[in-house]
Every structure is written in structure tokens, then in C-alpha cells.
Amino acid sequence: MNRVLDELLWRGLVADSTDREALSAHLDAGPVTSYVGFDPTAPSLHIGHLVQLMVVRALHAGGHHPLLLVGGSTGLIGDPKQAGERVMNGKEVVAGWVERLREQMSRFVELDGPNPVRFVNNYDWTAELSTLDFLRDVGKHFSINRMLDRDVVARRLDSGISYTEFSYVLLQSLDYHELYKRHGCTLQTGAQDQWGNITAGIDYIRRTERAGVHGLVTPLLTKADGTKYGKTESGTIWLDAELTSPYAFHQYFLNAEDAKVVEYLKVFSPRSREEIEDLARQTAEEAWQRAAQRALADDITDLVHGEAERKAAEAAAAALFGRSELAELPEGTLAQVAGEVGGGELAAGAELPLVVDALLAAGVVDSKGAARRAIAEGGAYLNNQKVSDAEARLQDSDLLHGRYAVVRRGKKTVGMVRVRR
């Protein structure tokens, strides 16, 4: 078995591929040019995209030549979704997202040196392609019957699917064909839901070039209940710090389920097999220590946001729950936390607000009466200090960076308020 392919298999990054033995031999035969595509349908990459970048990193480390395709043209169309028709974004919006995604991806790959990862944009070969040429040179090689058999298309037939989305597979197949001709690309990788598009491109190259090329897809990451991993009640886990803060990002992976955490470690962590197997043992024997979760959260946050942001996120979590000093947190970190733990704003009049009002505004209690009961029972905290007086007011010395206060009910229910003067 080829070394890179063996590593991808062990890390659970292969759901399906073209002939396994042939692919292994192809990778052994010499440096292979591969590609994976990213459509700019949002201003940031998310966790699902990071899975694909981990495959790219593994191929590149093995001496191969990955291409990262940013879909300036396919991003204007959108791959069909099972949920329904996509909203088409404007050309200027998509062009801006192309550049944002290129900038994001450049942080995860090597763009310099003797074997740089290269970017390509399918707008370069589709922008000037006429409708007649597209129909004659591409469309004639595709069977409507086979297109209708694609899972996502079959599911959308009852609710309706536009010709635009129906034709997406032709554009992606054209991409593989163009990269084969221009760069000698012989391997396309992607997520499992791209398998139909990838095999269509393989078939198109076989028909037109009489050449055999390869495909490999990763499994979709799921939680133990089968739902998609990388989604929360508040939305997608993005790689952009402005959309998902480093604090929220780190916390998300700290909360990984015992049943799945080793699977996620294999995908996202650079740790060796021996290290990950030891963490698997610790999870089986001492799950309460959550060693694997800490390793996962640290490794992936270091990768996406850098070690400094990860340490700031850890410090914020420790300070929120009384394990270190809140006053030592930078204002930027407090602002991140405020956006994640929730809370409200209070206006200061001649005097600062009551602590009771702060507890209510922060959302840790649902009424002033509940706030007073929490104080009376010894379960209310202001900046990790127990509050004993129901008539106590915030003081200037309580306001972190002059405007933030952290309130807590019990051990785990935390919120923040911002005081407006």
C-alpha cells in the first residue's frame, strides 16, 4: 500500500475511491498532480473544508503536487443541495469571496519552495466559453438518464430543480478535464457528497482523452447521533475568527463526544499514531480526564487560529469559571467571550446598576426574583466573587476594562453585561 494512501486510510479520510490498488500504484509511480475544489458560496471556509485541506496537506507532505481550485464560475451556480435551490450571489460578491477563500487557504499550505501548492480558478476557462461550444464539446458526452440517477437530483425532482443546478456536474467535469490537459492532473479529491461529480469527470476524461484518472472522497464527519459535525444551534463553525471566535472554536472541540473524539483527532491533529492511540486508551479508561478532547481542541485551534489565540481562549475559559483572574484578560478576548456566552447591555445613570439587574440582563436568571433567590442561596457571583447582598450595586472597580462585568449562577451558568455610560 502506498504510504500516503495508507496514512489517509488510517486517519479515516477515505470513504471511497477508484480502484484502490491502481490508485496506490499510481501514487507510488511518482509525484501525482491532484486537485480539490472549493466554491465561494460564503465569505469563509468551514470545518468541512478543513477536512479537504488535511488531505491536501497529506498529499503535499508525500511529495505530490496539489492544486487548490477556487470556483469563480461554479460559485456563481452552486452545487445542488438536497434542501432546495440555492440563492445565487452577485458576480462582485463571488469575486470578493474567491479572494477571501484564497487568503484563508494560503495559511494551511506551502506556497513557496521547490514544490508549492498552486491555486487555480475555473473562471479562467469558463468565462469565454460560448453556449454552443459548451453544449457541443461537453454536453454531448453526458447522458440525461445517468444525470437523473444522481442521488441529489433524484431527491429534488419532486420539489423541483433548475436547469442551472442540474447542469452543475458538467461544469465540475469540465474542471477536471481542463486541469488534466493544463497541469497533468490525474487525481481529484473531495467530500463524499462529491462522488457523483468526481466520477462524472473521470468518465468525461476517459471518453474524450482515452485516459484513466482517479478519484478519492472523504467521509462526512458526523456526531454520534448521525447529525452533521461542525454545526451548532447558532450555526456553522467557520474558520474566520470574525464569524466564529477562537474562544467559541476551542470550546466547540473541547465538547467533542467521547465516542467520536478519537475519530476527529485522526482527521485534524498532526499527532502520530502512537500518540493518538494512547489518547484513545485514555478515553476508554479515564474518559472523565478528557485528555483527547483537550488535545483535539488545542491542535485544531493552533492550526486554524495560532497558538497565541488558543492560549487566550484557554485563559478566558479558566477566568470565566474562577480558575484565574478575569482582570488579566485582554479587552479583545473579553469582547469575544461576551459574544459567545451571551448577555446584554445596561445603562448607567447617576449610580451603576444593581447586581440583580446585571444577573437578569446577562440571562443567567429569568427574573429579578430569581436573581434575589440565587443571592440568598449563595449561588450568585460577580467576577467570580460571591454576592451576598441583594441590594448591592456594581462598582467602578467591578467593570473590567471600564465596561464589562461577568456574572454567574451556580457553577456553570455564565453571562456578561456591558455597562453603557
Side-chain angles (χ1 to χ4, degrees):
M1 179 68 68
N2 171 264
R3 179 175 60 83
V4 175
L5 185 56
D6 181 62
E7 181 73 4
L8 292 174
L9 285 164
W10 179 79
R11 290 188 176 272
L13 284 168
V14 181
D16 206 348
S17 72
T18 46
D19 185 273
R20 191 71 49 83
E21 291 186 6
L23 176 57
S24 180
H26 185 57
L27 291 167
D28 276 335
V32 167
T33 298
S34 66
Y35 102 91
V36 59
F38 300 84
D39 278 347
T41 54
S44 172
L45 301 171
H46 54 65
I47 288 300
H49 295 124
L50 186 58
V51 175
Q52 304 313 314
L53 289 170
M54 301 310 289
V55 175
V56 169
R57 286 162 64 95
L59 287 166
H60 187 251
H64 301 289
H65 306 312
L67 301 170
L68 296 178
L69 183 147
V70 186
S73 62
T74 43
L76 293 167
I77 302 300
D79 198 12
K81 300 189 304 181
Q82 293 185 7
E85 198 77 9
R86 289 182 182 273
V87 175
M88 290 191 185
N89 298 296
K91 290 185 178 181
E92 291 185 0
V93 170
V94 171
W97 289 350
V98 165
E99 294 308 312
R100 289 190 64 166
L101 266 57
R102 281 172 59 102
E103 187 279 327
Q104 275 192 316
M105 285 189 280
S106 67
R107 305 201 303 265
F108 300 100
V109 297
E110 294 182 25
L111 301 177
D112 300 311
N115 178 31
V117 174
R118 293 169 289 171
F119 283 103
V120 291
N121 185 342
N122 56 21
Y123 195 78
D124 293 341
W125 54 82
T126 57
E128 303 302 323
L129 183 65
S130 74
T131 304
L132 285 175
D133 287 341
F134 180 69
L135 292 173
R136 283 174 54 86
D137 298 338
V138 182
K140 69 177 181 179
H141 295 286
F142 288 80
S143 163
I144 289 292
N145 292 343
R146 290 190 64 182
M147 291 170 70
L148 288 171
D149 283 340
R150 294 180 64 220
D151 184 58
V152 68
V153 173
R155 294 187 181 201
R156 287 277 300 281
L157 286 178
D158 289 338
S159 60
I161 183 171
S162 69
Y163 178 75
T164 300
E165 289 195 5
F166 180 67
S167 302
Y168 181 92
V169 63
L170 276 68
L171 289 173
Q172 187 166 320
S173 298
L174 175 62
D175 289 344
Y176 200 173
H177 184 258
E178 285 293 321
L179 294 175
Y180 171 80
K181 292 196 302 179
R182 293 172 183 233
H183 300 284
C185 179
T186 53
L187 171 62
Q188 183 181 357
T189 61
Q192 192 169 12
D193 58 3
Q194 292 298 306
W195 183 243
N197 289 332
I198 291 173
T199 54
I202 291 171
D203 187 60
Y204 178 45
I205 292 171
R206 180 186 61 79
R207 289 171 179 271
T208 56
E209 304 296 333
R210 301 293 187 266
V213 293
H214 300 271
L216 180 151
V217 291
T218 62
L220 298 176
L221 291 187
T222 61
K223 300 177 184 178
D225 64 4
T227 58
K228 191 173 183 179
Y229 191 64
K231 294 278 190 180
T232 68
E233 291 182 5
S234 57
T236 300
I237 301 298
W238 301 101
L239 306 190
D240 188 322
E242 293 183 3
L243 299 176
T244 301
S245 73
Y247 171 81
F249 191 89
H250 191 260
Q251 287 291 310
Y252 180 78
F253 290 98
L254 273 178
N255 290 318
E257 301 161 293
D258 291 340
K260 303 290 282 187
V261 64
V262 174
E263 176 184 327
Y264 305 149
L265 266 170
K266 288 180 178 180
V267 171
F268 294 119
S269 174
R271 295 174 192 248
S272 67
R273 295 193 189 196
E274 291 75 19
E275 289 176 295
I276 292 176
E277 286 169 356
D278 184 57
L279 287 166
R281 178 195 60 76
Q282 292 181 57
T283 299
E285 297 176 2
E286 302 173 321
W288 64 91
Q289 300 282 2
R290 301 189 69 76
Q293 280 84 351
R294 290 197 303 275
L296 172 66
D298 289 355
D299 290 352
I300 193 170
T301 307
D302 283 354
L303 174 65
V304 174
H305 295 294
E307 185 179 355
E309 288 287 359
R310 186 258 297 172
K311 288 183 176 179
E314 288 181 307
L320 277 180
F321 295 99
R323 297 192 300 274
S324 64
E325 287 297 324
L326 282 163
E328 295 178 0
L329 294 179
E331 184 172 5
T333 302
L334 269 175
Q336 279 187 26
V337 173
E340 301 302 334
V341 302
E345 190 171 81
L346 286 173
E351 295 182 290
L352 288 172
L354 292 167
V355 175
V356 164
D357 293 325
L359 288 162
L360 180 59
V364 301
V365 294
D366 54 15
S367 68
K368 289 186 179 182
R372 290 190 172 91
R373 284 194 299 274
I375 293 171
E377 293 165 0
Y381 298 81
L382 169 63
N383 294 340
N384 292 323
Q385 299 299 313
K386 186 175 290 188
V387 179
S388 57
D389 182 0
E391 301 305 318
R393 289 185 179 274
L394 297 174
Q395 303 297 313
D396 286 328
S397 58
D398 296 324
L399 299 183
L400 306 167
H401 297 284
R403 55 177 170 165
Y404 295 102
V406 175
V407 290
R408 176 160 50 91
R409 176 174 57 82
K411 292 183 178 180
K412 296 183 178 180
T413 308
V414 178
M416 290 180 67
V417 289
R418 292 173 292 276
V419 176
R420 186 180 71 251
R421 293 180 182 273

